[in-house]
Amino acid sequence: MTDSKYFTTTKKGEIFELKAELNSDKKEKKKEAVKKVIASMTVGKDVSALFPDVVNCMQTDNLELKKLVYLYLMNYAKSQPDMAIMAVNTFVKDCEDPNPLIRALAVRTMGCIRVDKITEYLCEPLRKCLKDEDPYVRKTAAVCVAKLHDINAQLVEDQGFLDTLKDLISDSNPMVVANAVAALSEIAESHPSSNLLDLNPQSINKLLTALNECTEWGQIFILDCLANYMPKDDREAQSICERVTPRLSHANSAVVLSAVKVLMKFMEMLSKDLDYYGTLLKKLAPPLVTLLSAEPELQYVALRNINLIVQKRPEILKHEMKVFFVKYNDPIYVKLEKLDIMIRLASQANIAQVLAELKEYATEVDVDFVRKAVRAIGRCAIKVEQSAERCVSTLLDLIQTKVNYVVQEAIVVIKDIFRKYPNKYESVIATLCENLDSLDEPEARAAMIWIVGEYAERIDNADELLESFLEGFHDESTQVQLQLLTAIVKLFLKKPTETQELVQQVLSLATQDSDNPDLRDRGYIYWRLLSTDPVAAKEVVLAEKPLISEETDLIEPTLLDELICYIGTLASVYHKPPSAFVEGSRGVVHKSLPPRTGSSESAESPEAAPSAGQAAEQPAVIPAQGDLLGDLLNLDLGPPVSGPPLAASSVQMGAVDLLGGGLDSLMGGGGGFAAPGPAVPASMGAPLGSGLGDLFDLTGGVGTLSGSYVAPKSVWLPAMKAKGLEISGTFSRQVGSISMDLVLTNKALQVMSDFAIQFNRNSFGLAPAAPLQVHAPLAPNQSVEISLPLNTVGSVMKMDPLNNLQVAVKNNIDVFYFSTLYPLHILFVEDGKMERQMFLATWKDIPNENEAQFQIKDCSLSADAVSSKLQGSNIFTIAKRNVEGQDMLYQSLKLTNGIWVLAELRIQPNNPTFTVRPLPLAVPVPLACPGAGRTVPVGSPLQQRGGSRGGAERSQPPEVPWLSRGARCSPLSLSPSSLTFWGAGGERRC
């Protein structure tokens, strides 16, 4: 009799009977009892009360019984941790058993028991098993390390198990190698920053050797690991491809897809001129075709992966169109996926074959499939221009069938064909109008209305047709209402005398009788356009429309490259990156294909491959439009301002506390007088505007004609966030003019045009001084460099951080938003050199609480070199002294809003750390007083009324006032203080 008998018992009081049987002296009776316990546990009965009795059965030589007891332990150890410790001694003993199966079983079970109290006892047995003479024990122990790491990562690192695991990659047994790779990959996924899989040509060679001998799942682990490796050149990439190619003929579809992933990734590094490149393309097709002969579920997974491959490299399957033809017994999900791939592979060479097939599909009984087939005919017309006439003819034949849903889908796709090929196929409009009454779906009705409005001058009774739709205006869907409003306005502009009443009727319905805000707004816009400037209305409403793109549903290129790296995983089925659907604490590493051989983006290029440090400090992209505040018509993206808003007309810019947050955010320090953290750039990767360290060229910037520091360009808006538009740039100041130096790159598949830019209100009133001039449309994979002049006459609003700039960029696709930080020194004006006597008078009048101190590190320049370099950025040296071996530079600068800052810079010979004490004077030049508008010089009697607060208690300085002042300064490194504003009457403005 089979073991199924254990699952049929329904006796009561069974626990007591089992307890007695478990404590029996007869081995067979004990084994039967354990089987009954496991059966009860499997069907959901609580048998945890038998825990001590089952644990007592561990002391046995019978392997089957030991397995059953271990299975019970794994299930109940978590709920009975104190009792589970009783089994530890047996585990330790079993790890030294002569039988390798028992040793492996013991270490596997200990790894599966997720109880902290047991893990510390697991270390020693695990260490022995990792170096066991039997490969079965070693491969089991390798997986156990990954399980233990998941429970207690620190313990695994302290015990040195990770190093032992790395050593197992060089093991002589291929299955041990595969399990070691699997364990390291698992650990690396949960700790993306760790460099556990430090692959090199030698270790790759060992993995490729093991690939031929291990099991199919071992091969998948090794292939996935190979896919994460970056060959040093195309020769190494070709060598790996040659050794991986035999895996394409494997019987397991998962092995085939993993091999395809490796080959697709490394093909990026091969030149298309190589003979091997063409050979590899031919070898990839047969295994992909073979996958389509499996069960429907596997077919679907294969088709989703093939969809990605065809988008990346259509040439691989361009001769295999017939395998994607739909079979009568295919499930609907397979049919639709095949249909999609057929369109992607459609070309002039096979379009006749494809159209004949699609026409056949359009007569099927499955409504969803028929709709997709009709849409596919329209997509063929748009993709292959030579086939457009044949496609239109096929669609007309389908319309003649008078099948309602076929007619409606045909009208929708014919509208797209009109958009793609204007003034070419309008002769079919009469046939479309005949079917007007049968249209009941919103999309089809909207398409028909668009056609009537667009070609109203060719349709004699266009007004009657549109009026028939107007009768039930409020019952229509929003899509139809919007389209009807636009179509009637078009008709009015083309035939104004005949349709004046009709347009007034639709505008009244849209603006007065509708609750839909979109419809109402569009109605008001049209009404005002027509009533104020009919010529402008004609230019707007009847403007030439851009041609629709060939493939509107292609995956965005950067996302496609990432998905290619995930072939054979759920990401390739969902067509989404793992970060979009994997939840949890584990970090998801974004993968990408290697740069193509001979492409302009080399691996060494800082723009093509920014370092991890730079990536972390990229400015954040402003969230989607729905999350933004303000009027989007003005592109006013300002965050909410705490407190009542300031009226720009009544308060001068200089008198507003724009620097209320102090220089902290600009120079890298915290608020107040706390000791700074990383207050100034200590490495080469300092972010833009991170502090005065940039002015010493510590970040590898470039100089301009005037010697001012310019930070290297960084990516402000990644292509993934902006539908293929990538924006990188920097800021510069040359000869008194501020400019934003931009690089616009089109990484999408369609042409970009009609660029415009606008800034949100910001702390210093930065605004574009001219429109964004992109003189020619930006083609795919093309870049253009633009220098946009800026001024400081824009609207002012305090930002956090102070030098934050929010930008909106518009093109023909959409409006995109991002924020970046501009460097403070672009605001330093050329007339910032204060007279020596005025400097002396002003220095002593600055309140003590305005003083701060911080350090600039890793700057090995002399005092003269520093003075010269800073002068290039409009920071002027007023005086220089040498005190106790230290060079002390006294400097002044002025911001664009009239605020002065005085500073003392200490430089000690042979010490690369400079000490800076900025003293913000913060007296605006245009003072808010009677006679505002004239300049009040710093140090004048009018101003000195406010300055006496800081200077009255101080004794008059000697001839060299800064020496006594320096002596009073604390040597501690302090972060910059907040600035304080003093008005003409001595009042404090914060």
Side-chain angles (χ1 to χ4, degrees), residues 449-495:
I449 291 167
W450 181 88
I451 291 169
V452 173
E454 189 68 18
Y455 301 101
E457 69 278 11
R458 304 187 187 193
I459 303 171
D460 295 334
N461 62 337
D463 52 342
E464 294 174 16
L465 296 176
L466 292 178
E467 196 169 3
S468 67
F469 284 104
L470 204 58
E471 290 167 3
F473 184 80
H474 290 302
D475 298 327
E476 300 284 5
S477 69
T478 303
Q479 181 183 8
V480 176
Q481 288 177 336
L482 288 166
Q483 199 60 262
L484 189 55
L485 172 62
T486 302
I488 291 175
V489 171
K490 284 181 184 175
L491 177 64
F492 172 72
L493 291 169
K494 291 174 181 179
K495 302 177 180 179

Side-chain angles (χ1 to χ4, degrees), residues 653-668:
M653 183 167 71
V656 181
D657 183 8
L658 291 178
L659 299 180
L663 289 174
D664 318 28
S665 56
L666 296 175
M667 297 183 177

Side-chain angles (χ1 to χ4, degrees), residues 111-221:
C112 291
I113 296 176
R114 302 178 65 83
V115 177
D116 289 335
K117 292 180 180 178
I118 289 183
T119 51
E120 55 193 80
Y121 298 104
L122 174 61
C123 295
E124 207 50 48
L126 181 58
R127 185 176 285 105
K128 289 178 183 175
C129 290
L130 283 168
K131 297 180 180 176
D132 198 280
E133 59 185 18
D134 192 280
Y136 181 76
V137 180
R138 293 199 301 275
K139 87 177 185 69
T140 307
V143 175
C144 187
V145 173
K147 291 178 179 177
L148 183 60
H149 188 275
D150 198 34
I151 301 167
N152 192 336
Q154 193 59 47
L155 181 68
V156 170
E157 290 171 23
D158 294 344
Q159 294 289 334
F161 289 144
L162 294 180
D163 295 328
T164 312
L165 210 51
K166 289 177 186 176
D167 294 339
L168 288 182
I169 290 180
S170 306
D171 198 277
S172 57
N173 186 284
M175 272 316 300
V176 177
V177 175
N179 278 22
V181 167
L184 284 170
S185 300
E186 180 79 13
I187 294 169
E189 274 184 28
S190 59
H191 292 75
S193 56
S194 62
N195 192 18
L196 291 175
L197 280 166
D198 187 14
L199 299 174
N200 53 53
Q202 291 74 31
S203 58
I204 288 294
N205 189 43
K206 290 171 187 170
L207 293 180
L208 288 166
T209 305
L211 187 63
N212 299 320
E213 301 172 41
C214 59
T215 65
E216 52 194 19
W217 297 111
Q219 290 181 33
I220 292 168
F221 289 134

Side-chain angles (χ1 to χ4, degrees), residues 267-272 277 313 594-599 601:
M267 278 174 77
E268 288 291 310
M269 299 186 69
L270 302 179
S271 170
K272 289 188 176 181
Y277 183 86
R313 298 195 186 284
R596 171 158 282 292
T597 303
S599 75
E601 291 184 13

Side-chain angles (χ1 to χ4, degrees), residues 603-626:
E604 289 78 18
S605 166
E607 291 177 26
S611 67
Q614 287 171 322
E617 291 163 347
Q618 287 297 328
V621 175
I622 294 178
Q625 298 179 33

Side-chain angles (χ1 to χ4, degrees), residues 96-336:
E96 296 177 358
D97 194 277
N99 186 340
L101 291 176
I102 291 180
R103 295 201 298 274
L105 182 63
V107 78
R108 177 192 289 129
T109 308
M110 286 183 81
C112 291
I113 296 176
R114 302 178 65 83
V115 177
D116 289 335
K117 292 180 180 178
I118 289 183
T119 51
E120 55 193 80
Y121 298 104
L122 174 61
C123 295
E124 207 50 48
L126 181 58
R127 185 176 285 105
K128 289 178 183 175
C129 290
L130 283 168
K131 297 180 180 176
D132 198 280
E133 59 185 18
D134 192 280
Y136 181 76
V137 180
R138 293 199 301 275
K139 87 177 185 69
T140 307
V143 175
C144 187
V145 173
K147 291 178 179 177
L148 183 60
H149 188 275
D150 198 34
I151 301 167
N152 192 336
Q154 193 59 47
L155 181 68
V156 170
E157 290 171 23
D158 294 344
Q159 294 289 334
F161 289 144
L162 294 180
D163 295 328
T164 312
L165 210 51
K166 289 177 186 176
D167 294 339
L168 288 182
I169 290 180
S170 306
D171 198 277
S172 57
N173 186 284
M175 272 316 300
V176 177
V177 175
N179 278 22
V181 167
L184 284 170
S185 300
E186 180 79 13
I187 294 169
E189 274 184 28
S190 59
H191 292 75
S193 56
S194 62
N195 192 18
L196 291 175
L197 280 166
D198 187 14
L199 299 174
N200 53 53
Q202 291 74 31
S203 58
I204 288 294
N205 189 43
K206 290 171 187 170
L207 293 180
L208 288 166
T209 305
L211 187 63
N212 299 320
E213 301 172 41
C214 59
T215 65
E216 52 194 19
W217 297 111
Q219 290 181 33
I220 292 168
F221 289 134
I222 291 175
L223 287 167
D224 287 348
C225 182
L226 288 172
N228 293 326
Y229 175 63
M230 181 66 73
K232 62 179 185 292
D233 54 31
D234 56 343
R235 289 183 61 186
E236 188 185 1
Q238 182 175 336
S239 171
I240 293 171
C241 289
E242 286 170 351
R243 296 177 69 177
V244 168
T245 304
R247 300 300 105 207
L248 292 173
S249 56
H250 202 281
N252 188 315
S253 54
V255 176
V256 174
L257 285 175
S258 292
V260 168
K261 172 168 61 182
V262 175
L263 297 174
M264 285 289 292
K265 190 168 182 182
F266 290 172
M267 278 174 77
E268 288 291 310
M269 299 186 69
L270 302 179
S271 170
K272 289 188 176 181
D273 301 330
L274 283 174
D275 292 338
Y276 180 71
Y277 183 86
T279 307
L280 195 56
L281 286 178
K282 290 175 185 172
K283 285 183 178 178
L284 277 169
L288 293 173
V289 169
T290 306
L291 291 175
L292 299 181
S293 58
E295 302 82 43
E297 292 79 14
L298 284 179
Q299 276 190 59
Y300 179 72
V301 172
L303 287 165
R304 293 293 282 174
N305 282 275
I306 288 169
N307 201 324
L308 295 174
I309 293 165
V310 165
Q311 288 186 55
K312 185 68 182 173
R313 298 195 186 284
E315 63 269 26
I316 292 174
L317 290 162
K318 66 181 179 182
H319 299 302
E320 305 292 343
M321 176 64 82
K322 282 190 177 179
V323 300
F324 299 106
F325 285 175
V326 172
K327 296 174 186 172
Y328 76 95
N329 58 348
D330 281 337
I332 184 64
Y333 55 86
V334 171
K335 285 181 177 179
L336 296 178

